[in-house]
Amino acid sequence: MSSLSCEDFFYLLGVIHVNVKEKINTLEKKLKAALASVENQAQLQEIKAEFLGKKAEISQFMKHMKDLPDEERPAFGQMVNEAKKRFSDLIEAQREAIKKAELDALLRKETVDVTLDAPDYTLGSTHILNQIIEEIEDLFIGMGYLIKEGPEIETDELNFEKLNLPKDHPARDMQDSLYIGNETLLRTHTSPVQVRTMLAYGGEKPVKIICPGKVYRRDDDDATHSHQFTQIEGLVVDKDTTMSDMKGTLLAVARHLFGPDREIRFRPDYFPFTEPSVEVDVTCANCDGKGCNICKQTGYIEILGAGMVNDKVLKMSGYDPKIYQGFAFGIGVERLAMLKYGIEDIRHFYTNDLRFNKQFKR
Ligand code: DAH
């Protein structure tokens, strides 16, 4: 620099000055062009680094400051800083524009078209057997009964012996059983829950229970037989329980299930755990008792077995038959459902064919 004259120096500085100004203009045009095609924040960051980063041309200009005379420096510095500010504003404006475009795109994508049909969700519903159990439970809870359950694997003693079915009793043939061990089996009926409850009550308290649950028989499955089906047991034991209490209760069940105009009748039957025992028939809801195909022209349909609890059963479970009497009944849930809805094959209950199940949606 010392070889240059004063004029040269100013001339030189003037050139630099002018060049810097031009350079800034060119850069600004380039920046604007680059920004025009930017599509996302990442690209914008690259451009920011290129035009405003440490290695950017505009950042290099400041290094020339020291070559300028004192009075030129403020103007030069101001010019470069103003340019930087403009570049930065351009970039930030573009950043806002990209943000807005991204948000607009997202909103467009997530727009909910409320005029479209809703997807067809399939709602499940309670199985028809459980519906009938619930209906019967509701009725009995309303009459002050408790719901009791027992195990499906039962002892021979509770399933048979304490129900007056000793080992050599011929009535055991009525219930071909599925034994698990010498003394354990899959319960053949819900009647053992009677025994369990009476034993638990210790021969003291009155009993008023119903016991729904699964039972098992060694049957070949066909339209009317299943190796597993559902029963509801009922038991009332108290000091003044009579057969007319039983009749009134079972009439209420029949009317609850088959309609308010139904009547019932008792036919003598035999169960080892009740004496006397009866089969209960209800007047046919289809023909109102006049006789039709469903009731086989009899006007009646058999719905359950019942009876006055056998003295021996009361005694074996700790109740004194001189003080306590009781009645009991056993309802086959599948049979009820088949009668009520005209279902011709018991296997429909277990195969889970939706065409069947859906017909009983509540
Ligand atoms: N346990 C009998 C069965 O499975 C049904 C039954 C009949 C239960 C009469 C009772 C009753 O409590 O009194 O066939």
Side-chain angles (χ1 to χ4, degrees):
M1 201 66 72
S2 57
S3 62
L4 291 172
S5 70
C6 210
E7 252 145 55
D8 290 333
F9 184 71
F10 280 116
Y11 174 72
L12 182 66
L13 275 176
V15 169
I16 290 170
H17 200 114
V18 168
N19 278 349
V20 167
K21 222 176 190 170
E22 276 175 4
K23 197 77 200 165
I24 285 173
N25 283 340
T26 323
L27 279 174
E28 195 161 342
K29 274 185 205 146
K30 262 174 80 182
L31 174 62
K32 281 179 182 162
L35 287 177
S37 60
V38 153
E39 278 169 0
N40 55 46
Q41 301 287 353
Q43 289 173 355
L44 193 69
Q45 276 312 106
E46 279 173 27
I47 288 175
K48 188 174 179 182
E50 183 185 334
F51 286 88
L52 284 173
K54 272 192 191 138
K55 289 182 184 151
E57 277 182 79
I58 203 160
S59 310
Q60 305 294 320
F61 294 157
M62 284 307 206
K63 291 183 184 158
H64 294 295
M65 279 273 266
K66 63 179 185 338
D67 303 328
L68 291 171
D70 284 353
E71 65 274 23
E72 291 279 344
R73 281 182 194 169
F76 182 82
Q78 195 185 352
M79 179 182 67
V80 175
N81 280 336
E82 277 173 7
K84 275 181 141 179
K85 171 86 172 54
R86 277 200 312 282
F87 286 17
S88 174
D89 287 350
L90 285 169
I91 289 168
E92 291 315 308
Q94 186 64 14
R95 191 186 305 286
E96 286 310 307
I98 290 171
K99 261 194 209 158
K100 191 176 173 300
E102 281 173 351
L103 184 65
D104 285 350
L106 194 69
L107 289 176
R108 263 197 307 281
K109 203 172 108 194
E110 292 182 354
T111 303
V112 176
D113 184 348
V114 291
T115 66
L116 283 178
D117 284 344
D120 185 16
Y121 294 118
T122 351
L123 282 185
S125 67
T126 310
H127 191 277
I128 181 59
L129 293 177
N130 288 328
Q131 285 185 35
I132 291 185
I133 289 173
E134 282 171 17
E135 251 178 65
I136 294 177
E137 282 179 351
D138 284 349
L139 172 72
F140 277 97
I141 288 168
M143 297 194 291
Y145 284 63
L146 297 178
I147 313 287
K148 293 278 177 188
E149 290 187 346
E152 287 171 31
I153 295 176
E154 192 50 281
T155 61
D156 185 278
E157 189 192 6
L158 298 180
N159 191 81
F160 289 132
E161 279 176 54
K162 282 207 170 352
L163 287 161
N164 195 31
L165 279 139
K167 285 217 164 25
D168 55 356
H169 197 289
R172 282 205 185 193
D173 288 347
M174 285 158 51
Q175 302 179 332
D176 269 357
S177 331
L178 290 156
Y179 272 86
I180 289 174
N182 278 344
E183 294 299 324
T184 47
L185 70 159
L186 293 175
R187 66 178 177 191
T188 57
H189 50 181
T190 42
S191 305
V193 189
Q194 286 189 18
V195 179
R196 286 177 171 275
T197 310
M198 283 190 282
L199 289 173
Y201 283 17
E204 297 287 333
K205 289 192 285 181
V207 183
K208 247 178 126 178
I209 56 162
I210 59 161
C211 330
K214 295 191 184 97
V215 301
Y216 301 82
R217 303 270 171 99
R218 214 165 61 194
D219 266 329
D220 289 331
D221 292 359
D222 62 24
T224 52
H225 295 84
S226 168
H227 61 283
Q228 182 242 291
F229 57 100
T230 322
Q231 285 190 339
I232 300 175
E233 187 77 17
L235 174 69
V236 172
V237 177
D238 208 338
K239 284 179 182 161
D240 290 304
T241 317
T242 66
M243 203 145 175
S244 60
D245 294 322
M246 176 169 93
K247 190 160 187 182
T249 306
L250 297 177
L251 181 61
V253 176
R255 290 185 173 171
H256 185 68
L257 290 170
F258 293 98
D261 301 327
R262 304 274 66 81
E263 294 297 339
I264 57 169
R265 73 174 180 193
F266 287 172
R267 278 181 296 113
D269 200 350
Y270 171 73
F271 298 105
F273 25 88
T274 45
E275 180 58 37
S277 305
V278 294
E279 268 319 322
V280 181
D281 296 344
V282 61
T283 47
C284 178
N286 185 53
C287 61
D288 217 7
K290 291 184 194 75
C292 68
N293 280 346
I294 290 178
C295 59
K296 299 192 185 96
Q297 310 305 329
T298 63
Y300 283 92
I301 287 171
E302 178 195 321
I303 53 164
L304 54 90
M308 299 306 289
V309 181
N310 192 313
D311 282 3
K312 288 186 193 164
V313 171
L314 286 172
K315 238 186 247 168
M316 279 188 277
S317 290
Y319 279 80
D320 182 349
K322 291 201 188 72
I323 305 171
Y324 286 94
Q325 313 80 42
F327 67 84
F329 55 90
I331 303 175
V333 182
E334 282 81 348
R335 195 181 144 68
L336 275 191
M338 289 168 88
L339 290 172
K340 192 168 173 184
Y341 297 106
I343 298 162
E344 78 293 350
D345 194 323
I346 196 170
R347 290 169 292 197
H348 285 314
F349 294 115
Y350 319 114
T351 42
N352 283 330
D353 185 334
L354 286 180
R355 289 170 303 176
F356 175 80
N357 290 356
K358 274 182 178 168
Q359 296 177 56
F360 304 102
K361 256 190 178 173
R362 270 202 280 232

